[in-house]
Amino acid sequence: MNKLLLTLTAVTAIGLAACEQKGTTSVADSTSSAASAITDAAASANTVQTLSSSDGKISISVQGSQFADAMQNKDLLPAGLTAADLTLLQNDPATDITVYVANLGKPQSPAADYFKNLKTALEQDSSLSDVQAGVATENRMSYRFQQKDKEDNILNENCLAVYEASNIYNICANSYTASPNQLNEVLKDVKLVK
């Protein structure tokens, strides 16, 4: 009887040891996976991604983004523009934000006149709503607006017009779901590369 009890105790101890080992391993794996996911998410949120236009003239640094080239996606092309008009078209599916850079060509008027005319055109465009234009500096002016697509969905768009002697660039971030403030964050660090 003692041998049977010793054998049962030994089998139970081995079984418990096996369960404990699996349980410990399982918890440790789960814990390390969760910790790894949290670390990856934190690293992603702190990572700065730099988007560069194909002509090398515009650089946009965005923190915590996952933008990828979308030049082949015709659905993301801005209204009235073709892929040939753009030097950058990127989309971040996680935030539903699209960023584009359009090279509008050589200026035909001084910067002050260009920005004044741009502001007037935006304010008089009846297809746009909630138009807000910032104060123009020597070579930049920010503006934002909303517009409806064919299905009456509202697209928020924030832009920055950049004026230089040889080109005018229109840099915009747009989204159906992101707020104007979120779009503004994307355009917070735009540089003209000289």
Side-chain angles (χ1 to χ4, degrees), residues 21-62:
Q21 187 176 11
K22 275 191 177 175
T24 302
T25 303
S26 176
V27 171
D29 286 349
S30 176
T31 303
S32 67
S33 294
S36 176
I38 290 169
T39 302
D40 290 348
S44 176
N46 291 326
T47 302
V48 175
Q49 183 180 17
T50 301
L51 312 176
S52 298
S53 61
S54 60
D55 62 0
K57 296 294 285 184
I58 301 294
S59 170
I60 307 166
S61 296
V62 187

Side-chain angles (χ1 to χ4, degrees):
M1 193 78 145
N2 284 343
K3 285 184 182 180
L4 180 59
L5 187 57
L6 285 173
T7 306
L8 285 172
T9 304
V11 168
T12 304
I14 292 170
L16 284 175
C19 286
E20 276 184 21
Q21 187 176 11
K22 275 191 177 175
T24 302
T25 303
S26 176
V27 171
D29 286 349
S30 176
T31 303
S32 67
S33 294
S36 176
I38 290 169
T39 302
D40 290 348
S44 176
N46 291 326
T47 302
V48 175
Q49 183 180 17
T50 301
L51 312 176
S52 298
S53 61
S54 60
D55 62 0
K57 296 294 285 184
I58 301 294
S59 170
I60 307 166
S61 296
V62 187
Q63 186 170 352
S65 64
Q66 299 172 13
F67 283 98
D69 182 64
M71 201 61 87
Q72 302 304 316
N73 188 339
K74 294 188 186 311
D75 293 336
L76 295 177
L77 288 174
L81 296 175
T82 67
D85 299 321
L86 303 178
T87 59
L88 180 139
L89 180 63
Q90 300 255 337
N91 177 261
D92 182 346
T95 59
D96 183 38
I97 295 176
T98 299
V99 175
Y100 68 88
V101 176
N103 181 338
L104 304 179
K106 190 172 176 79
Q108 303 301 311
S109 61
D113 292 342
Y114 174 77
F115 292 134
K116 180 182 172 190
N117 292 338
L118 174 60
K119 182 177 180 179
T120 300
L122 289 166
E123 291 171 345
Q124 292 177 353
D125 189 335
S126 61
S127 69
L128 305 179
S129 62
D130 196 27
V131 174
Q132 297 176 26
V135 176
T137 65
E138 183 179 312
N139 68 344
R140 292 179 180 220
M141 185 178 87
S142 62
Y143 58 95
R144 72 168 92 172
F145 57 86
Q146 293 179 336
Q147 62 183 331
K148 289 185 179 180
D149 65 11
K150 293 175 186 175
E151 289 81 36
D152 278 344
N153 298 310
I154 295 176
L155 180 70
N156 292 314
E157 189 149 354
N158 284 33
C159 297
L160 180 65
V162 177
Y163 184 103
E164 69 162 358
S166 58
N167 289 299
I168 296 174
Y169 293 96
N170 202 29
I171 302 107
C172 297
N174 64 38
S175 177
Y176 287 102
T177 59
S179 71
N181 288 338
Q182 290 171 298
L183 298 176
N184 193 50
E185 280 298 306
V186 171
L187 299 179
K188 192 166 66 172
D189 190 3
V190 174
K191 292 182 178 72
L192 178 63
V193 181
K194 302 224 176 188

